Amino acid sequence: MIRDNEDIARRTTGTPIKITGVKTVVVNAEMRNWIFVKVLTDQPGLYGWGEASLNWKTRAVTGAVEDLEPMLLGRDPRDIEQCVRAMNKFSYYNLGMVGVTAISGIEHALWDIFGKSVGLPVWRLLGGKVRDRVRVYTHLGLGEMKSVYETFDVGSLKERAAAVVEKGYDALKVVFIPYGAHTSPIPAQRHVGKMMEALRTTVGDGVDIMIDFHGRPGSIAAAMGFIRELEPYRPMFCEEPVQPGDTEALRIIAEKAECPIASGERLVGIKEFQPVFNQRALHIAQPDLNHTGGLLEGKRIAAAAEAALIGIAPHNPNGPLAGVAALHFDVSTPNFVIQEEMSGAVPWYDDVVQTPIRRVGSAWEVPELPGFGIEVNEAEAAKHPFKPEVMHAMSAVLEDGTIVDW
């Protein structure tokens, strides 16, 4: 592999390169589908891999990738800014989450090609190394989706949290805010407080805890009712306490809360992040590099956040290629705080992809292979073809039949 990359770098230095095709490989990871994107070139052995996974939108995203392909054919993949502009500008209509996710996966693959063509890891092309390791956190069940989204019992919570710590992590995220609307009943608040107390007692003060609200509260008051129960146990942050889009509500919560507030996984591009930064409506921004436009746009978001004294904790519940792209971004981003990862989502996680991700304790090591340093085993991937994903959101219904936010 290393010799092949060295040969590619020698052969392509100063040589025109053209994109000849863009394809997708869908891998069903039981609770969600991973969408891998492969960009092909006219240079033998030179191609790039990215990821464009978006839950419950697999066929829409793969269709978007197919629609975007003609805008790239014949272009030099190393002209990343120009390629992204072509996909955005020539599309005419605003692309939204589906289209920008497709662009993100393609853009990742272009960086992989660029790195391979010059024999350097992508993080060097993004500005170089600003840290020697990347702190990460995982979820209950080590990424197993049922544990992540369906742990509301104190006993199960303690057992699964202890298992995470035993694996060497010093930070974890939980999702135990109940479905609700514009009020938060006292029993519901008390149960959240009880869960948090049990969690802190189990893992101790040396482990950071993040609570993902998933935008479930339907009002500022409802969100604050739960936050007040959590504050005594010093969460690292409370994530998405209200639905994205209401910057004023988020700002009020950030001012009232006695713990850091995070959000941003559902925002697209610097244009949607900038108003949030201008109002100092959060403390930690969580762009998803699969969904916000790619690494270049992620770096713009991070720079704007840094100017507003806001940290960056990229969202990433996706597959192994998304993790590698985030790793390279994190190595090169000064205001990075912590990285989400779900490496235990399926037992065969590492079989479909060879990655340079190496975890020591609760941190990823800095990779040195050219490009992203990844290779997809397409034969192994084919053993896990597309399937409709589990619709967790279908459970977001109150006792009276009201459909609420998942």
Side-chain angles (χ1 to χ4, degrees), residues 27 32 38 86 88 118 125 170 201 204 219 256 311 342 347 405:
V27 179
R32 71 178 66 213
K38 187 177 187 180
N88 275 303
V118 294
L125 309 179
D170 64 11
T201 300
S219 70
K256 288 177 175 288
M342 295 182 76
D405 289 305

Side-chain angles (χ1 to χ4, degrees), residues 178 183-194 222 225-226 229:
T183 62
S184 53
I186 292 175
Q189 293 181 38
R190 297 295 188 222
H191 185 67
V192 165
K194 183 179 179 181
F226 293 120
E229 291 286 337

Side-chain angles (χ1 to χ4, degrees), residues 53-320:
S53 302
L54 182 62
N55 44 303
W56 309 320
K57 305 293 186 296
T58 301
R59 287 164 288 196
V61 173
T62 56
V65 171
E66 187 176 350
D67 287 339
L68 291 167
E69 181 188 34
M71 303 174 192
L72 297 172
L73 297 178
R75 296 186 180 276
D76 192 317
R78 299 166 297 185
D79 294 332
I80 298 173
E81 187 83 68
Q82 188 76 334
C83 287
V84 171
R85 285 181 65 83
M87 289 186 284
N88 275 303
K89 301 295 185 182
F90 294 160
S91 292
Y92 183 62
Y93 294 102
N94 289 336
L95 292 172
M97 185 63 77
V98 169
V100 175
T101 296
I103 286 178
S104 300
I106 294 170
E107 194 250 25
H108 291 172
L110 300 181
W111 281 108
D112 191 26
I113 291 171
F114 188 11
K116 290 174 180 175
S117 73
V118 294
L120 294 172
V122 168
W123 57 261
R124 287 212 177 273
L125 309 179
L126 292 173
K129 182 173 65 173
V130 298
R131 59 183 43 82
D132 296 324
R133 59 185 180 276
V134 171
R135 191 184 183 202
V136 299
Y137 70 89
T138 192
H139 298 250
L140 297 180
L142 300 168
E144 189 274 318
M145 303 287 279
K146 187 177 179 67
S147 298
V148 173
Y149 295 111
E150 299 178 22
T151 300
F152 293 95
D153 173 73
V154 171
S156 297
L157 176 72
K158 294 170 65 175
E159 180 182 343
R160 290 167 178 169
V164 169
V165 176
E166 287 173 7
K167 288 291 185 178
Y169 291 92
D170 64 11
L172 62 91
K173 183 190 285 182
V174 294
V175 187
F176 55 44
I177 302 300
Y179 300 124
H182 295 84
T183 62
S184 53
I186 292 175
Q189 293 181 38
R190 297 295 188 222
H191 185 67
V192 165
K194 183 179 179 181
M195 295 277 281
M196 186 62 176
E197 179 183 23
L199 187 57
R200 176 57 74 200
T201 300
T202 299
V203 303
D205 290 344
V207 174
D208 279 315
I209 301 169
M210 292 142 277
I211 297 88
D212 190 350
F213 280 51
H214 245 226
R216 290 172 181 176
S219 70
I220 295 170
M224 288 306 305
F226 293 120
I227 289 173
R228 292 295 182 231
E229 291 286 337
L230 297 167
E231 287 169 339
Y233 305 100
R234 305 292 183 88
M236 184 177 186
F237 57 70
C238 289
E239 176 179 332
E240 221 173 33
V242 290
Q243 284 288 307
D246 191 336
T247 302
E248 179 67 8
L250 191 61
R251 182 191 65 79
I252 292 171
I253 291 171
E255 288 184 353
K256 288 177 175 288
E258 295 184 5
C259 63
I261 298 299
S263 191
E265 68 184 67
R266 289 187 264 184
L267 299 183
V268 175
I270 184 64
K271 289 184 179 179
E272 293 191 4
F273 275 93
Q274 195 65 65
V276 180
F277 297 160
N278 290 344
Q279 293 197 39
R280 306 300 194 272
L282 44 71
H283 306 99
I284 305 291
Q286 298 174 291
D288 189 312
L289 301 169
N290 270 184
H291 304 149
T292 201
L295 299 182
L296 276 176
E297 195 70 1
K299 295 293 280 189
R300 293 187 183 101
I301 291 165
E306 186 175 24
L309 302 180
I310 293 169
I312 295 289
H315 176 257
N316 175 40
N318 298 314

